[in-house]
Amino acid sequence: MVSSLPLYQPNHCFLSNIQLKGLRNGLLWRPSNSFGSDTEIRVRPIKASVDTAPFPLFQPGKVEESLSELEPVDPDFYKIGYVRSMRAYGIEFKEGPDGFGVYASKDVEPLRRARVIMEIPLELMLTIRQKLPWMFFPDIIPLGHPIFDIINSTNPETDWDLRLACLLLYAFDHKDNFWQLYGDFLPSADECTSLLLASEDELLELQDPSLASTMRNQQRRALEFWEKNWHNGAPLKIMRLARDPRRFLWAVGIAQSRCINMQMRIGALHQDANMLIPYGDMLNHSFQPNCFFHWRFKDRMLEVLINAGQRIRKGDEMTVNYMSTQKNDMFMQRYGFSSSVNPWDVIQFSGNARIHLDSFLSVFNISGLPEEYYHNTGRLSKVGDTFVDGAVIAAARTLPTWSDGDVPPIPSVERKAVKELQEECQRMLAEYPTTSKQDQKLLDSSPEATRTLEAALKYRLHRKLFIEKVFQALEIYQERILF
């Protein structure tokens, strides 16, 4: 079994409640946005053997001058978890311009079994059962407290984020609760990229009327809930949790962007739960993750494990996949970020032109089924060929195609279809009021832009870059196959 040695060795092994309370005032606030990667964007939990020798425990090193924009996090970030049995192995937390991230502190050779890098006890999490009757952990809400009546008034099918936001706000207000300390390391309302906090002007900058309308509805839903329960006649114990609507919108945004939905088993009780998991929520997103989550029933512990057979180099970032098969608009709704290389993004073509699927796949060495396309980087691939990425994989899924066994395409017909698809791509780009170059220039010239505005500008830029990449892929397809 994995050793439960300390993650971080402070001068004193334990801190009293009084010391912990005082520690909060000494914390150095660090804004974070753990979902800030542009080019790498929930993982299916699987059982894995974890009885291998543990990694050497993380020992905070000396801060050295480096050209990297990443910095080691404040030691207090480790202390508040250590005294409550959080453990980490072979990793370190670092902070960059886009917030926190988790990085390997040593090389890890691939093994046949998954390896534990983090253990987070249930006692540190905030969880609420997905279905009635509501069950919380920790059970910090006293009998008769009005926050339970507010939670109980939510729609069991749709309002999981409102319930979790209420529980989070209550935890911040509950004496000696762990989240009073951990909350200092979460992004503030000004650092949060959730579009729930976006202004009307910022929503218009998305250049996506459908997504903007969806976010207006989500904002309206959250604000109506706040107005219903945080009115002038509400008890002080409720009012102080979210005195203004922006505070509540922030809590809902945190709940949405950091929640993990997972089945827990406590004794003989199985329950699907929405969970806020400290430290685990600092793992950034990737479409090719090297880690996954696993619930260890016996010890009521959530584990983060490295994929079996995965090679990790010192300094590599540890990542998980937040949502599989989802387009960029869904990532923006839930997490406030997008990617130009999302392999599941889609372009809606309306014409009748189609290209030969097998020929297109062979040109870019793409293999597998549509649900499992991947770039075959074997002998057929050219050295240094980095053109194929998630956008080209998405193109293989989204382009109108035809396939008829081994029947080869007729070059003249195929060439005509490619030109028609390229023309449709150009028409799509022309419908936007700005170009990708203008969007990039605006981003570069607006260093003081709010995080929500920055996210909106990146979203529309990534959409255009995706369409341009599809156009380029069609051009390469002609050059390599048809002539």
Side-chain angles (χ1 to χ4, degrees):
M1 295 301 294
V2 175
S3 170
S4 58
L5 296 176
L7 149 75
Y8 174 79
Q9 188 64 48
N11 293 330
H12 304 284
C13 291
F14 299 97
L15 299 178
S16 67
N17 289 336
I18 295 177
Q19 288 173 312
L20 282 172
K21 186 175 181 181
L23 177 62
R24 185 186 182 197
N25 295 328
L27 288 176
L28 177 60
W29 177 77
R30 300 282 189 179
S32 72
N33 170 18
S34 64
F35 314 111
S37 173
D38 290 332
T39 59
E40 279 295 282
I41 309 252
R42 199 144 290 257
V43 178
R44 185 181 300 110
I46 62 173
K47 286 192 174 183
S49 175
V50 294
D51 55 353
T52 57
F55 299 157
L57 297 179
F58 167 73
Q59 298 295 332
K62 297 181 180 179
V63 179
E64 299 178 356
E65 292 186 6
S66 172
L67 297 177
S68 172
E69 297 184 20
L70 300 173
E71 297 180 359
V73 300
D74 191 281
D76 288 336
F77 182 72
Y78 299 95
K79 289 181 182 178
I80 62 174
Y82 164 67
V83 296
R84 292 173 173 84
S85 300
M86 186 275 179
R87 300 291 180 262
Y89 310 93
I91 62 172
E92 57 186 331
F93 295 88
K94 293 184 179 181
E95 183 186 6
D98 293 322
F100 281 94
V102 184
Y103 297 83
S105 62
K106 68 182 294 286
D107 291 343
V108 179
E109 295 302 317
L111 293 179
R112 294 182 180 180
R113 61 185 67 184
R115 302 182 71 168
V116 177
I117 61 171
M118 216 182 294
E119 296 176 306
I120 306 148
L122 180 62
E123 285 71 16
L124 293 188
M125 307 174 199
L126 287 178
T127 73
I128 183 169
R129 190 172 185 264
Q130 291 185 11
K131 299 180 180 180
L132 287 168
W134 305 128
M135 298 179 65
F136 312 98
F137 201 94
D139 189 9
I140 56 178
I141 301 179
L143 187 66
H145 194 283
I147 195 67
F148 178 79
D149 295 329
I150 294 176
I151 291 175
N152 202 39
S153 69
T154 59
N155 186 321
E157 300 297 326
T158 61
D159 294 343
W160 63 269
D161 52 344
L162 302 182
R163 291 190 289 273
L164 201 55
C166 290
L167 187 61
L168 177 64
L169 289 170
Y170 181 79
F172 289 150
D173 189 64
H174 189 263
K175 183 179 180 182
D176 295 331
N177 187 271
F178 166 80
W179 284 83
Q180 288 184 323
L181 303 176
Y182 191 77
D184 289 335
F185 293 93
L186 296 177
S188 68
D190 292 335
E191 290 292 328
C192 189
T193 61
S194 172
L195 293 182
L196 288 170
L197 295 164
S199 66
E200 177 60 26
D201 289 341
E202 290 169 342
L203 291 179
L204 293 176
E205 294 293 347
L206 291 165
Q207 296 183 358
D208 186 336
S210 178
L211 177 57
S213 177
T214 298
M215 294 315 304
R216 289 189 196 100
N217 292 334
Q218 288 200 24
Q219 288 176 339
R220 188 180 305 113
R221 163 178 165 265
L223 288 173
E224 289 175 351
F225 184 80
W226 179 84
E227 292 169 354
K228 175 184 176 182
N229 297 287
W230 273 265
H231 51 77
N232 292 334
L236 177 60
K237 62 176 69 175
I238 291 297
M239 289 297 294
R240 69 191 184 200
L241 302 183
R243 293 184 179 274
D244 62 85
R246 186 172 174 80
R247 171 73 171 174
F248 185 72
L249 287 173
W250 170 83
V252 177
I254 290 294
Q256 289 184 357
S257 62
R258 293 172 178 266
C259 173
I260 295 174
N261 306 315
M262 185 176 288
Q263 185 179 83
M264 297 191 306
R265 191 179 79 191
I266 303 176
L269 178 64
H270 292 257
Q271 66 178 42
D272 293 316
N274 302 120
M275 313 164 71
L276 288 178
I277 302 173
Y279 299 98
D281 62 1
M282 296 300 176
L283 289 157
N284 286 323
H285 169 81
S286 172
F287 290 115
Q288 296 180 317
N290 49 28
C291 294
F292 65 94
F293 295 113
H294 173 249
W295 179 254
R296 197 166 77 203
F297 301 134
K298 179 180 178 181
D299 305 302
R300 304 196 305 178
M301 187 86 68
L302 186 84
E303 299 173 323
V304 180
L305 299 100
I306 298 176
N307 295 335
Q310 186 84 42
R311 182 187 300 275
I312 306 293
R313 296 300 187 189
K314 180 179 179 180
D316 286 353
E317 184 171 15
M318 318 307 290
T319 57
V320 294
N321 191 334
Y322 292 169
M323 292 192 298
S324 180
T325 74
Q326 295 296 331
K327 299 186 296 181
N328 272 346
D329 57 351
M330 290 302 298
F331 278 95
M332 284 296 291
Q333 288 181 43
R334 181 79 179 265
Y335 303 105
F337 73 87
S338 58
S339 170
S340 62
V341 295
N342 182 347
W344 297 100
D345 220 6
V346 171
I347 297 177
Q348 296 293 342
F349 290 92
S350 57
N352 297 320
R354 296 185 299 163
I355 59 173
H356 190 248
L357 175 61
D358 295 337
S359 296
F360 184 84
L361 297 178
S362 65
V363 162
F364 298 105
N365 296 324
I366 297 175
S367 306
L369 301 174
E371 295 77 16
E372 298 177 351
Y373 276 149
Y374 63 94
H375 184 215
N376 184 353
T377 56
R379 290 182 301 174
L380 295 178
S381 298
K382 296 181 179 179
V383 177
D385 185 1
T386 60
F387 179 80
V388 178
D389 55 20
V392 180
I393 299 294
R397 290 194 177 97
T398 194
L399 281 168
T401 59
W402 66 277
S403 182
D404 190 11
D406 296 326
V407 177
I410 300 174
S412 60
V413 175
E414 199 75 358
R415 181 165 55 249
K416 180 181 178 182
V418 168
K419 290 297 184 183
E420 290 181 10
L421 291 173
Q422 286 183 311
E423 290 172 358
E424 191 164 356
C425 287
Q426 290 177 322
R427 289 195 296 271
M428 292 179 190
L429 291 171
E431 291 176 357
Y432 288 103
T434 59
T435 66
S436 60
K437 292 183 178 179
Q438 290 172 328
D439 291 344
Q440 186 62 63
K441 184 176 180 181
L442 185 57
L443 271 169
D444 295 339
S445 62
S446 305
E448 303 301 322
T450 64
R451 295 306 299 272
T452 45
L453 175 58
E454 182 183 356
L457 294 175
K458 286 183 177 180
Y459 172 77
R460 77 193 204 193
L461 171 62
H462 292 160
R463 184 62 175 170
K464 294 163 192 171
L465 292 177
F466 173 42
I467 299 174
E468 291 173 359
K469 191 66 175 276
V470 173
F471 183 96
Q472 295 169 9
L474 289 168
E475 193 71 28
I476 293 175
Y477 175 50
Q478 290 188 87
E479 294 173 356
R480 294 184 180 178
I481 282 292
L482 301 179
F483 300 100

